[in-house]
Every structure is written in C-alpha cells, then in structure tokens.
Amino acid sequence: MILCPVGPGAAPKMDMARYWGYTAIWNILDYPAAVFPVSQVQEKEDSTRGPILNEQDAWNWKQCTTQMSYISNV
Amino acid sequence: MYDQAIERARYLDSLPEPIGPLHGLPLSVKEHLWIKGLPCNAGFVSWIASPAPETNNGVLDIMLSLGVVPFCRTPQPQTIMHLSCNNNITGKTVCPYNRTLTSGGSSGGEGALIAMKGSCVGLGTDIGGSVRSPAANCGIYSLRESALRLPMSGMTMAMPGAESIRAVLGPMCASARDIQMFMQHALDTEPWKKDQTLVAIPWRKPTLGKKIKVAIMWDDGVVVPHPPVTRALKEVKAAMEKYPDLFEISEWKALDHNLGWEIIAGLYFMDGAAQDLKAMADSGEPIDPLTAFIIKENKFVKDHTITEVWEVPSSTFFETDSRNINKEMHTGINTGTTSAATPIDQT
C-alpha cells in the first residue's frame, strides 16, 4: 500500500482549499483510499524543505508560512 | 426529519427482535442524497423548491434494511465541487478545531458533525477528495472505496449521467473499525443483485504476506505538503519501524501527477459546467470563490460534443500511465526506488 498525504496541508483557511492533486489522483486511477487521523498542528514545526518546485508549490507554501498559528488535524 | 427519526426509533424499539445488525444506529446523510419525501437542494438555492424524491438513495436503502435511523442532513458546498463547505443556503461549515478554518469538503457537514461526536457514521460522496478532505481536516476516518462497489442511485447533482469520472459514495466514521463494519454489512446485502451497475464482489479480507509492504509518498512531485503533514507521515513511519517483522517500508516516487490533474480537471465539467451555471443563474445566488476557482478559473473546463467526450485523453491516460502505475502496484517496482508496494488487494 501507499502511505501519502491527504492534502497539501492541514485544514485551510476559508476559500483557500485550492489544490486537489493529493486526492483527485486516486479518483482518476480508481484506487481505493482510506483516511485516518495522526496528529494535530503544533506550535513549532520543522519547516526545512527543498527548493520551490513551481508556482503552485510556491502558492501552497505561502498558505502555510503565513498561517502557522492554526490548529487542525493532519 | 427529526419527527421521522423519532417515529422510526420508536417503531424499532417496539419490535421484539432487532431487524438488522445496525438496529437503531443513528445515521447522518449528506445533503444531496435522496431521502424519500424530503426536499433535496444539493446546495443550490434554485433547487430548494424541487419536488421531493419518491425513493431513497440506494445506500440509504441498504442502511435502512440493516436498521439505521437517519436523523439529519449535513451541508455540502455550492456545486459539490469544493474541498471546502460553503453554500448560500446553510452558510459556511467550519473546522470544529478552529472555526477560522474550513471543515474541508465537499462532505464537510459530515466531517464536522462526526468530529464533534454529533454522529458516529455518515454517508458522504467523493469524486475528487470529498470524503477524504473533510476526514483529514476534521480528524475522523473515511473511505473512498473503488467505484461500483456501492449503489450510486438516488442523488441530486449536476450532470447525473456523466461517466467519464465516477463519483463514489463512501462511509465517514469515528473509527477505522466503523468503516470496516459499514462496508462489511453493506456488501453482505449483495447490493449487485438489486443494482445491475455494480460489480459482484463481496467484502473480502486481504491475504497479507509475511510483511505488509508500505511505500511512503512524501510528496506528489507538484506541491510539497506543509510541515505538519510531513511530520505526520514521519510519525507513522516511526510507528511502523517499531515492528520490523510486520512492516517493510520503502519510498514511492509520484509519477506525473500533474498530468493526472489536467485530465481529471477536464473530466469534471464535460458540459462546460452549463448545468451548474444555470442552477446558480436561476436564483441569481452569488458564485462562491471556490466555485469560480474550479469552474471559471479552471482552464480545462470546456463544453464537449459527444464525439469529443470519446476523444478526451482519459482513455490515453488509462491505457498508458494508469496501466503503468497498475503494473508498478502489482509488481512492486516503482520508478526511482528499489522496492515499493505489495500487490494491491481490492478488499
């Protein structure tokens, strides 16, 4: 089985859920996918990462770095 | 709806024996799934006054035969096509852990309600993440099973006949055990005997090898997840590593997921979103920013002729990329890694 993210972040701000790739790929492939909770967002997270990949990646990363104070499930 | 629920609960209480394994279990139901005799707006203002359906949703009928008591409908977003949950009828559904955030969607009402322990099992639907996003955002469990395992009859949505990409109806639950129980009991009723569109596959227990092979996909090669998500994956990995006799862990490299998105984004609105746009125009309700995002700002949306429907690259994708991915899943050989997944059991 493949273990992967359900989405590109924890619960987004209103109107900011704009990246479907992590879930929609299993619809186009028609593979079954189960979701289970693991943890919640913590005050301090290790935010080291590789280079920004593209415009979408830059947009998504910005949603995170400006909103690290939120609490939600991952 | 509450009156009906109380009436049914009293009726079930009056019986000498349980009518099924889920006798008396309250069940929440996503807005667009039909409940006989009750109006169904599917998130559009102009559909509020639509005639009430005369039949139940197919899965609801199965659940009723097992003994459940449907007790509430839960919100969904305008068009259903948001990973969020705002409409112009019930307003915004928010994340119970932080009300400045979305519950996820489109089955966002189920996600929020179950997380708040207002329901223990609900019916959601998924064509791009709609039972999974709310489960992740709200911290509950859900399953998007393979298509054609459970009936898709009895629901209101735009383009109900569209087949290019199939939606599924899946359970949203408070535990993994509940998901197993839901699917086991639902498929034990052999729904394919009543609904000829379904595949006649019972709920099977997977035969696992000596070790469970788990390949971790840290990112999809397009968008790197936020740090809390990556940490969660690391936590699961660390938990599995404590049982080296049980798990064989490797890495999964995503193959061209951007292409997958380009194709599916074009399959969602093959009428150019004409029916969705009409449903909103009929009442003049405001178009939600995420509706604009997925319809108007989605460059893959266009109206197709029947000829064009059969020409879209879905077939190419399924016959090339998808088959390669299938092959990789079954052989355990994934580009860029030494070993990967165990052959998939469709349980």
Side-chain angles (χ1 to χ4, degrees):
Chain A
M1 67 180 78
I2 295 176
L3 178 72
C4 72
V6 189
K13 289 271 186 195
M14 283 297 162
D15 307 335
M16 291 301 169
R18 291 173 186 237
Y19 185 71
W20 292 36
Y22 279 98
T23 45
I25 191 71
W26 308 118
N27 294 83
I28 183 92
L29 293 168
D30 193 16
Y31 268 85
V35 174
F36 59 93
V38 177
S39 180
Q40 291 188 348
V41 175
Q42 293 171 359
E43 266 186 42
K44 285 187 180 170
E45 299 274 2
D46 174 12
S47 60
T48 53
R49 60 156 291 166
I52 294 287
L53 303 176
N54 52 51
E55 255 179 56
Q56 274 177 302
D57 188 28
W59 184 87
N60 180 62
W61 195 253
K62 196 177 159 202
Q63 301 310 311
C64 167
T65 50
T66 55
Q67 295 169 15
M68 278 306 287
S69 58
Y70 64 102
I71 299 170
S72 185
N73 293 277
V74 288
Chain B
M1 175 135 198
Y2 290 122
D3 291 343
Q4 281 186 1
I6 294 289
E7 190 185 332
R8 177 165 167 85
R10 287 213 171 102
Y11 162 73
L12 291 172
D13 278 349
S14 73
L15 299 174
E17 298 287 336
I19 66 166
L22 306 182
H23 185 95
L25 182 75
L27 177 83
S28 46
V29 182
K30 187 178 180 180
E31 167 60 38
H32 76 128
L33 306 177
W34 290 0
I35 302 175
K36 190 164 65 180
L38 293 181
C40 179
N41 61 54
F44 288 119
V45 171
S46 64
W47 290 1
I48 291 175
S50 303
E54 292 172 3
T55 55
N56 284 318
N57 168 266
V59 176
L60 178 58
D61 258 339
I62 292 173
M63 290 291 120
L64 286 167
S65 76
L66 298 169
V68 303
V69 180
F71 73 104
C72 75
R73 299 195 102 125
T74 56
Q76 66 185 50
Q78 184 183 53
T79 72
I80 319 189
M81 297 298 285
H82 307 178
L83 297 177
S84 189
C85 198
N86 181 42
N87 65 52
N88 291 309
I89 303 163
T90 51
K92 288 180 164 63
T93 301
V94 296
C95 175
Y97 290 85
N98 179 336
R99 290 185 293 164
T100 68
L101 308 175
T102 174
S103 60
S106 64
S107 312
E110 291 298 332
L113 186 67
I114 293 168
M116 294 171 74
K117 309 204 187 320
S119 173
C120 55
V121 54
L123 305 183
T125 46
D126 188 315
I127 199 169
S130 284
V131 301
R132 290 164 286 159
S133 133
N137 288 182
C138 298
I140 66 162
Y141 297 76
S142 70
L143 176 70
R144 181 248 175 241
E145 74 279 4
S146 300
L148 306 180
R149 300 295 298 272
L150 291 175
M152 288 300 287
S153 57
M155 56 182 75
T156 298
M157 54 190 171
M159 297 172 290
E163 289 185 319
S164 298
I165 183 75
R166 289 185 189 280
V168 304
L169 191 159
M172 302 179 67
C173 299
S175 75
R177 194 186 58 170
D178 293 349
I179 297 222
Q180 147 72 21
M181 187 179 72
F182 180 103
M183 294 302 293
Q184 179 80 62
H185 288 314
L187 291 181
D188 279 355
T189 68
E190 302 182 320
W192 52 86
K193 289 186 175 172
K194 285 185 180 170
D195 184 335
Q196 303 295 324
T197 65
L198 302 179
V199 289
I201 303 176
W203 186 249
R204 300 176 298 199
K205 284 198 171 155
T207 41
L208 298 171
K210 198 177 171 193
K211 282 189 181 185
I212 300 171
K213 293 182 184 176
V214 180
I216 302 175
M217 191 183 96
W218 296 101
D219 66 67
D220 69 354
V222 185
V223 164
V224 175
H226 295 169
V229 174
T230 301
R231 174 176 56 77
L233 290 176
K234 285 179 182 166
E235 285 182 21
V236 177
K237 185 185 181 200
M240 290 190 293
E241 281 172 341
K242 286 181 186 163
Y243 301 93
D245 295 338
L246 200 56
F247 293 105
E248 184 182 327
I249 305 167
S250 60
E251 300 209 345
W252 185 266
K253 188 182 169 214
L255 293 175
D256 218 355
H257 282 206
N258 220 16
L259 175 63
W261 171 250
E262 287 179 13
I263 293 167
I264 200 169
L267 298 180
Y268 284 141
F269 301 97
M270 297 202 75
D271 65 347
Q275 202 175 359
D276 286 280
L277 292 168
K278 180 176 186 307
M280 292 179 285
D282 281 349
S283 69
E285 67 174 295
I287 292 181
D288 184 273
L290 289 181
T291 302
F293 163 74
I294 199 67
I295 291 179
K296 301 200 166 182
E297 296 156 29
N298 176 355
K299 64 183 175 186
F300 304 105
V301 171
K302 79 183 261 292
D303 195 0
H304 294 72
T305 64
I306 295 290
T307 307
E308 286 167 339
V309 166
W310 301 123
E311 283 174 349
V312 289
S314 57
S315 54
T316 315
F317 186 72
F318 282 123
E319 285 173 17
T320 56
D321 302 75
S322 174
R323 193 162 293 175
N324 285 340
I325 292 171
N326 276 307
K327 191 175 156 195
E328 291 181 355
M329 295 285 268
H330 286 278
T331 57
I333 299 164
N334 174 228
T335 313
T337 60
T338 50
S339 70
T342 197
I344 293 294
D345 292 303
Q346 290 198 354
T347 50

